[in-house]
Amino acid sequence: MTSRELTGFLPLSEAHEATGDLSRRLSDTAWRIGFGAIGWPWLLASLSGGRPADKRALLDELGLPHDALPHLGSWKADVGFLRHIVREIVRLRPAHVVELGAGASSLVAARALQRHGGGRLHSFDQHGGFVDATRRWLADHGLDVDIRHAPLTQESPDWPGRWYAVDNLPEQIDLIIIDGPPWSVHPLVRGAADSLFSRLSPDGVVLLDDAARPGERLVARRWRQRWPHIDFRLMKDGTKGTLVGRRRDTSQPVANDNEDGRLWRHLGRAAAIALLVATGWIARGELGEFPQSAQASSFLDEAAASRRAGLLRQAMPSQVESARFDPKEIERSAGIVLPALPTGWRVTDVQLVPSPGSPAVAMSLLTPQGEALSLFADRAETPAEGTPLVARRAGETTAYWERGDMAYALTGKGDAKQVMRWADAVAPDA
């Protein structure tokens, strides 16, 4: 049954049970029980596929009818993940996209490719009947996709669980979409998707759905160790989180941690999981692969650098400042949502600047009292969340806060109280 139907909350049943020795099956079962016990808050949150208005806006952008995706969430992709797919296809114009786990993402990716560059989608799913139905569904929308049945019959030497029997892959892949297998196979099973990372093109991107779940957080931590030339960032838009990985320079060898100590690592992690269950842990992010202090420092350093560049540009007559900008165009093209500015504040310069993830936006502002401020906006994760925090950089004060998956930093010459008042004016509901 494809995503055009009102499918149930649970994934389709497996055609066959796991094979292998008894100890392996018992280990996989223990992992599923343990992660089921601690992961239920994420599973509960994932039942929502996103706001209906956001889904309608996405379908309008793709020129698809509003009933093309009647139900999202649960084991299906949410609107946040689907929007990441569209955004990356618009930016990359990929020739080859590989998708693991077919469904709603197949329709969205294939339609985005049709409208932006005409690349090819290669999709794999473990359910043969689902593949056939999805192929017909896509054809109904005039979409030609290389979608194939890939049963879970393979095993990875580096990751637990069963993996797709994939073949005839493109030599170079521009975008990898990972939305399978389900965590019920094993909480870490999607880690085996890194068998495709060596095929990533120089500007290739990896998108992992359900990235806020504990299992995917452990996968992300290990991917960072194994693939130091891919920058991974957790984006908190949507209901389930998306891990975005962007490939950098690959002139250096990849660090692979496939050593004999894997068993002890798994035992240690299992013991940690048991401890978390015993103490009633359900808090988001406690697995800690995204160090908050390090992320805040990086974000603030970027904000400080953008302010220095803005002040330098203002002092150079040969550098042209541009105060013209279209917030909707910036959001559509770069995924950056700019806050509404208080009445009387004037924008003197707006620049799109590089950032480790997607581009960021740096703005130079003047208050009615003549204070020169800088506003930096990026898709980032900081400890501030919705409550502004204050930091000092190079003799200046910065107030920073979050809204959804966006982070903002307002920098000026005033003391902490004054900068916080300015921040409250930009984010009055903080």
Side-chain angles (χ1 to χ4, degrees):
M1 192 185 301
T2 68
S3 290
R4 73 167 124 194
E5 315 269 339
L6 287 175
T7 53
F9 288 129
L10 298 178
L12 299 176
S13 60
E14 296 295 326
H16 45 74
E17 297 300 323
T19 59
D21 59 76
L22 178 61
S23 62
R24 173 71 175 268
R25 297 200 302 272
L26 290 176
S27 172
D28 290 354
T29 300
W31 276 86
R32 288 194 294 269
I33 293 174
F35 273 79
I38 66 173
W40 64 265
W42 288 270
L43 298 175
L44 185 63
S46 72
L47 294 180
S48 169
R51 298 190 309 167
D54 292 337
K55 183 175 70 172
R56 290 194 296 270
L58 176 65
L59 293 170
D60 287 341
E61 181 180 338
L62 294 172
L64 291 170
H66 288 174
D67 61 354
L69 298 172
H71 179 70
L72 295 175
S74 187
W75 61 277
K76 296 172 285 298
D78 66 1
V79 176
F81 185 65
L82 298 178
R83 186 162 290 283
H84 275 289
I85 293 173
V86 174
R87 186 177 297 131
E88 294 302 332
I89 289 175
V90 171
R91 186 180 68 87
L92 292 170
R93 298 296 200 273
H96 293 285
V97 177
V98 169
E99 175 189 52
L100 304 172
S105 55
S106 307
L107 176 72
V108 168
R111 181 62 169 169
L113 286 169
Q114 187 181 67
R115 293 169 71 93
H116 303 285
R120 184 73 164 161
L121 176 63
H122 311 267
S123 182
F124 301 89
D125 196 274
Q126 69 266 33
H127 300 289
F130 184 80
V131 166
D132 293 337
T134 302
R135 185 183 295 111
R136 293 192 296 269
W137 175 44
L138 298 175
D140 290 344
H141 289 282
L143 301 171
D144 179 23
V145 172
D146 174 22
I147 181 169
R148 285 176 262 164
H149 177 214
L152 299 177
T153 58
Q154 303 300 306
E155 292 190 3
S156 167
D158 300 321
W159 295 93
R162 292 167 290 134
W163 189 243
Y164 296 108
V166 295
D167 57 7
N168 296 324
L169 289 166
E171 287 299 320
Q172 192 169 79
I173 303 171
D174 304 301
L175 175 62
I176 301 175
I177 301 170
I178 307 166
D179 194 19
W183 77 275
S184 55
V185 174
H186 192 287
L188 308 184
V189 68
R190 293 184 182 180
D194 72 354
S195 61
L196 305 182
F197 289 1
S198 62
R199 297 175 182 258
L200 274 177
S201 61
D203 296 319
V205 172
V206 176
L207 296 178
L208 173 67
D209 194 17
D210 305 295
R213 292 190 309 205
E216 277 71 13
R217 287 176 179 264
L218 287 177
V219 166
R221 174 192 290 178
R222 193 169 169 200
W223 277 355
R224 286 187 176 87
Q225 296 170 351
R226 292 168 60 91
W227 302 93
H229 307 302
I230 302 177
D231 291 318
F232 291 101
R233 300 183 74 182
L234 174 64
M235 314 306 285
K236 294 201 268 185
D237 52 346
T239 59
K240 300 186 288 183
T242 300
L243 185 73
V244 181
R246 302 185 189 280
R247 178 172 165 173
R248 296 187 278 111
D249 174 33
T250 56
S251 61
Q252 300 297 322
V254 169
N256 191 312
D257 67 347
N258 180 23
E259 79 286 342
D260 293 335
R262 189 189 307 116
L263 174 61
W264 291 106
R265 285 202 314 277
H266 283 189
L267 290 175
R269 289 171 182 167
I273 290 169
L275 178 62
L276 291 172
V277 174
T279 55
W281 172 81
I282 59 171
R284 173 173 60 95
E286 288 299 319
L287 288 175
E289 81 284 16
F290 301 102
Q292 297 279 14
S293 59
Q295 288 216 356
S297 178
S298 175
F299 173 72
L300 292 172
D301 287 342
E302 292 178 48
S306 72
R307 175 167 173 80
R308 290 193 298 270
L311 294 174
L312 184 62
R313 188 165 51 251
Q314 294 170 25
M316 299 172 65
S318 64
Q319 297 298 304
V320 179
E321 294 180 280
S322 174
R324 296 181 58 191
F325 67 101
D326 183 345
K328 292 297 184 183
E329 182 183 42
I330 291 175
E331 180 179 359
R332 183 170 60 251
S333 301
I336 300 297
V337 180
L338 295 176
L341 297 176
T343 302
W345 287 36
R346 184 163 63 90
V347 177
T348 61
D349 189 28
V350 179
Q351 299 288 333
L352 203 62
V353 298
S355 164
S358 57
V361 171
M363 305 177 69
S364 298
L365 310 171
L366 274 178
T367 69
Q369 292 73 36
E371 294 101 340
L373 307 178
S374 297
L375 179 66
F376 182 75
D378 193 9
R379 300 167 67 84
E381 184 179 5
T382 75
E385 297 189 350
T387 303
L389 298 179
V390 174
R392 295 282 294 178
R393 284 290 192 283
E396 296 188 316
T397 305
T398 297
Y400 62 102
W401 67 96
E402 288 188 21
R403 284 293 181 274
D405 67 331
M406 290 297 307
Y408 304 96
L410 187 71
T411 304
K413 287 288 189 182
D415 58 22
K417 290 183 178 179
Q418 178 61 64
V419 173
M420 285 294 284
R421 284 195 289 270
W422 287 329
D424 288 339
V426 177
D429 57 341

